[in-house]
Amino acid sequence: MANKDQTDTDRMEKIVSLCKRKGFIFQSAEIYGGLNGCWDYGSLGAEVKRNLKDLWWRKNVQERDDILGLDGSILTHQAVLTASGHVGGFSDPMCDCLLTKARLRADQIEPQSGIAYHFTGASHEESGWFVDRDYSVLLNQPNQDENKARKTAREFYAQFLTDKQIPAKKLTLLGESTSEEKEVTHYNPENGSLLTEPRDFELMFKTQMGASADDHDPNATAYLRPETAQSIFVQYKNVMDSNRVKLPFGIAQIGKAFRNEINPRNFTFRSREFEQMEIEYFCRPEDGLRLTDEWLAKRLSFYDEIGLQKEKLHVLDIPDGERAHYSQKTYDIEYDFPFGQQELEGVAYRGDYDLGKHQEHSGKPLEYFDEQTKERFIPHVVEPSAGCDRTILALICEAFYEEDLTKEGGKQDIRTVMRFKPAIAPIKAAILPLLKNKPELVEKAREVKNLLQPFMNVFYDETAAIGRRYRRQDEVGTPFCIAIDFETMGLEEGKEDLKDTVTIRHRDSMKQERIAISDLLPWLLERIH
Ligand code: ATP
C-alpha cells in the first residue's frame, strides 16, 4: 500500500496552475477574492465533467435493466433530514487555534508528542498591565529551542494588550511549568499553540422558503441537501410503483450536494458545493453482503475503464467500531492523489436503516411485498456513493505528465501532456490546416470540421506553426490531431494517391498515420467511446 502521507506539492501546484491556464477549473468569484470551497468548471472542465457523468449514467442506468434514474430536488424538507439523522446529527467536531484562529477538524489532527510549556498569564511591568489566563505551547521536535514556546506564548498574550504599541517581546510570562505529552491532539500541528475544546460544527446549509418565511416557522425551513441519497429513499416507493420493478433493483442519481466543510482544501477535493454520483441498490436482506462485494468489484472496474491506474487505487475494509452503527460492511475506495491517499468513493451496506427511518418518521408504509413468498419486509440497501468532482480531480492528476524531449546539446524541451482516455478527453480531435494563408487548405479543413462536429467535440485551429499547435493540444489532452496538408489536396508531386487523406497525429506516441477523409468519422467513433 502506498504511504498515506506521501505528497507531491510541486506536482499539485503545476496541476492547479494548468487547470486555470487552460480553462479546466477556476476559483469561484476569483475577482472578488474567491468564494472558499467553491469552484467553477471552465470550457474544458465542463466537457470532462459531462463526459464522466454521461459515462457513469450510461454504465449504471442505461446499460442495466435493474437500475432507474432519478433527478431529485436540491432543496430538502426538514423532516426528511430529521428522519435521516442529519438535522442535529450531521456535524464535525471542530476546534480553533488560540493563536491564529485557524479552524481545524478535531478528528483529523495527527497525534503529537513532545514537551508542553504551560503559563498562567503575562504582564508588562512598565505599564502595570497584566492578563491572568492559562495557555500552553507544545514543542513536538526533539531538542527544540524552548524560547520558541515562550515566543509563541508572548504572541498569544499580546492579543489581549489594550495598548497595541507595546511589542509582544516586552511581556513577562507568568507561572511557567512543563510536562511531557504523548500522542495528544489538542495542539495545533502548525505552530504548537493550544486549541479550544472541540465543538460540533453544523455541516448543512439551512435556508428559508417562501416570501413570508420567518425564523420560527419550522415549515419554512429547508436545507440544501448534504447528499443525493435521501431523495432516492424518499421516492423509492414512487419509483417502484410507477415502474413495477421487483427486488433487487437500484435507483441512481447524479447531482449537487452541499456541506459547510470546516476546512475546504486540496483544490476541489474537499469543497462546500460538489456533485455526487450515487446508487441505492435495494435487495433482500440475505443478499446484502454478497451484493456489497459485487458492487465494490464493479466500481473498481469502472475506475479502471476511465483510466485510473489499479496501483493507485486502494480498498479499505472499514473495521468494526469505525463503521456507521447500522452498516455491516463498508469499503472506502481511495486514490493516490499528489496530496496523499484519500477517499474517492464509499461502498456501504446500510441494511434497512434508511427506509426504516423514513417509514417510522413519515408514518407511510415503505415495505416491499414479495408476491411469491407473500412476505412483507423493508428492503435492505447497498450504496455505492462516488464524488464526481473528486473523480475528475483524480482523472486530471492521473493524466498530467511532463516529458523531457530535449535533444542532445539542444534547448530544454518539456512536453506537458494530459493523457486522458479518449472517452474523458474534453476535445476528441483538433483540425489543423497546415497553413492559414492557403485558402484551399483552410476550406478543406473546415469541411472536415463540419463532417465531425455533429458527432463529437472538435476544435479548429489555424494559428501558429503546426508543431506549436500539436503541443497546445497535448496540454489539454486531445487524443487526435488531424492535419490537412498539400497531400490532402493532391498537390504533392508523386503523391497524388494521397488526395483526400489526412494526417492523424497520436497524442501519446506522437506517431502519425494517413487516413482517408471518408474513413475518418468511423475511425474516430471507434476510438472515442
Ligand atoms: P470525507 O470523509 O472525505 O468527508 P465522507 O465519507 O463524508 O467523505 P460520503 O458522505 O460517504 O463522504 O460521500 C460520498 C462521496 O461524496 C465521497 O466519497 C466523496 O467522493 C464525495 N464527497 C463527500 N464530501 C465531499 C466534499 N466536501 N467535496 C467533494 N466531494 C465530497
Side-chain angles (χ1 to χ4, degrees):
M1 187 185 279
N3 178 357
K4 267 192 127 163
D5 302 325
Q6 208 170 343
T7 61
D8 190 340
T9 316
D10 188 38
R11 181 177 166 79
M12 198 57 215
E13 273 171 17
K14 286 181 180 168
I15 290 169
V16 174
S17 140
L18 180 133
C19 280
K20 179 176 172 183
R21 194 171 70 250
K22 290 290 164 186
F24 283 97
I25 301 171
F26 309 120
Q27 163 89 74
S28 188
E30 193 193 69
I31 60 167
Y32 291 102
L35 185 61
N36 198 6
C38 299
W39 301 92
D40 297 339
Y41 286 77
S43 57
L44 298 182
E47 289 292 333
V48 172
K49 200 171 207 191
R50 187 170 282 267
N51 291 340
L52 174 67
K53 291 198 285 186
D54 285 353
L55 199 63
W56 186 93
W57 194 260
R58 182 148 54 82
K59 296 277 159 203
N60 290 302
V61 182
Q62 294 170 341
E63 288 182 7
R64 291 190 62 134
D65 298 326
D66 57 345
I67 302 190
L68 301 155
L70 183 78
D71 188 358
S73 74
I74 286 173
L75 287 171
T76 304
H77 198 300
Q78 178 163 229
V80 170
L81 295 165
T82 304
S84 67
H86 286 90
V87 172
F90 193 53
S91 56
D92 278 338
M94 151 224 98
C95 39
D96 295 336
C97 172
L98 286 172
L99 183 64
T100 62
K101 309 290 172 242
R103 187 153 279 182
L104 290 93
R105 240 174 84 171
D107 57 343
Q108 288 181 346
I109 297 169
E110 288 291 326
Q112 307 168 77
S113 304
I115 306 290
Y117 286 74
H118 309 284
F119 306 92
T120 56
S123 64
H124 181 248
E125 276 156 37
E126 281 167 41
S127 63
W129 174 90
F130 78 96
V131 58
D132 191 8
R133 193 181 167 133
D134 290 344
Y135 179 66
S136 307
V137 183
L138 183 76
L139 295 186
N140 63 4
Q141 302 294 320
N143 306 323
Q144 243 177 315
D145 181 0
E146 57 195 36
N147 283 322
K148 183 171 179 297
R150 296 186 186 118
K151 184 167 178 262
T152 305
R154 283 196 186 88
E155 281 167 16
F156 165 74
Y157 287 118
Q159 299 175 93
F160 305 100
L161 278 166
T162 33
D163 179 355
K164 296 292 173 204
Q165 302 303 320
I166 301 175
K169 62 179 181 213
K170 295 273 178 203
L171 300 184
T172 306
L173 295 168
L174 307 173
E176 180 178 318
S177 64
T178 58
S179 65
E180 201 177 326
E181 303 289 333
K182 282 214 161 48
E183 305 279 296
V184 291
T185 53
H186 54 285
Y187 292 96
N188 185 349
E190 292 285 313
N191 56 17
S193 168
L194 188 68
L195 300 165
T196 59
E197 286 293 314
R199 273 170 291 141
D200 276 341
F201 181 76
E202 167 80 51
L203 285 182
M204 285 198 297
F205 288 95
K206 201 178 191 177
T207 189
Q208 298 296 115
M209 302 222 332
S212 61
D214 83 81
D215 282 355
H216 306 292
D217 177 1
N219 293 322
T221 301
Y223 291 89
L224 300 185
R225 64 182 175 193
E227 58 178 31
T228 58
Q230 292 310 319
S231 55
I232 298 183
F233 294 127
V234 169
Q235 293 298 356
Y236 134 90
K237 194 131 188 23
N238 277 336
V239 173
M240 190 166 66
D241 293 348
S242 56
N243 290 279
R244 304 166 53 79
V245 278
K246 292 201 165 55
L247 288 182
F249 74 93
I251 304 177
Q253 176 163 214
I254 299 179
K256 291 268 186 176
F258 303 82
R259 296 182 190 177
N260 199 2
E261 296 281 359
I262 296 165
N263 238 342
R265 67 179 177 285
N266 289 330
F267 199 23
T268 58
F269 179 82
R270 188 170 298 288
S271 309
R272 291 189 167 135
E273 173 174 342
F274 55 96
E275 246 173 306
Q276 291 184 312
M277 306 186 290
E278 292 195 299
I279 300 165
E280 302 302 330
Y281 197 74
F282 300 99
C283 63
R284 302 183 61 90
E286 59 271 27
D287 295 332
L289 282 172
R290 174 180 56 80
L291 285 166
T292 309
D293 282 351
E294 284 181 23
W295 269 109
L296 173 68
K298 276 196 191 77
R299 297 303 304 141
L300 289 170
S301 82
F302 179 80
Y303 289 122
D304 185 39
E305 197 176 330
I306 60 175
L308 298 185
Q309 284 179 62
K310 280 199 181 74
E311 309 75 69
K312 290 194 178 171
L313 289 166
H314 309 279
V315 175
L316 264 64
D317 186 347
I318 307 298
D320 291 349
E322 288 183 31
R323 291 189 302 269
H325 63 92
Y326 45 77
S327 173
Q328 286 176 48
K329 193 90 193 159
T330 299
Y331 295 110
D332 279 355
I333 302 176
E334 299 196 335
Y335 175 76
D336 288 331
F337 288 95
F339 44 82
Q341 184 187 316
Q342 300 273 354
E343 177 180 328
L344 261 191
E345 168 160 359
V347 179
Y349 174 30
R350 302 175 60 91
D352 62 359
Y353 177 80
D354 307 276
L355 289 181
K357 282 283 167 204
H358 285 300
Q359 171 166 285
E360 182 191 324
H361 283 251
S362 67
K364 301 279 177 348
L366 295 178
E367 288 161 327
Y368 176 82
F369 180 65
D370 188 323
E371 279 168 23
Q372 272 179 345
T373 62
K374 307 291 175 213
E375 273 177 284
R376 207 175 274 282
F377 60 96
I378 293 184
H380 281 213
V381 71
V382 177
E383 178 191 76
S385 169
C388 177
D389 306 83
R390 282 191 189 174
T391 307
I392 289 169
L393 185 57
L395 288 168
I396 289 176
C397 293
E398 180 85 44
F400 180 82
Y401 278 83
E402 286 181 314
E403 290 176 1
D404 191 347
L405 301 182
T406 311
K407 297 206 178 79
E408 231 188 278
K411 218 172 91 204
Q412 195 190 39
D413 180 13
I414 306 290
R415 177 171 93 118
T416 303
V417 51
M418 296 295 281
R419 295 182 189 270
F420 290 121
K421 284 249 172 157
I424 297 296
I427 300 167
K428 308 300 181 192
I431 296 129
L432 317 171
L434 187 63
L435 297 169
K436 75 168 174 194
N437 56 3
K438 296 285 177 216
E440 64 275 30
L441 289 184
V442 168
E443 193 185 328
K444 196 69 177 177
R446 289 197 183 278
E447 265 174 41
V448 171
K449 176 178 148 285
N450 293 339
L451 168 78
L452 302 178
Q453 206 164 25
F455 301 92
M456 66 193 77
N457 194 33
V458 295
F459 183 75
Y460 176 87
D461 187 9
E462 57 181 29
T463 60
I466 190 104
R468 282 264 307 275
R469 281 183 273 165
Y470 284 153
R471 290 293 180 91
R472 275 192 220 145
Q473 293 306 313
D474 291 342
E475 235 187 331
V476 298
T478 308
F480 307 108
C481 282
I482 302 166
I484 285 82
D485 50 24
F486 293 108
E487 288 155 0
T488 313
M489 312 311 299
L491 295 175
E492 285 282 290
E493 247 187 63
K495 292 190 183 168
E496 289 80 3
D497 57 326
L498 294 182
K499 184 168 186 311
D500 286 330
T501 65
V502 289
T503 302
I504 300 236
R505 187 260 196 184
H506 294 255
R507 176 195 67 203
D508 297 343
S509 64
M510 296 191 283
K511 291 216 169 87
Q512 304 196 357
E513 62 178 308
R514 280 203 91 84
I515 286 184
I517 293 178
S518 54
D519 293 336
L520 198 52
L521 182 59
W523 190 95
L524 283 168
L525 287 176
E526 210 178 290
R527 284 162 178 81
I528 61 170
H529 289 301

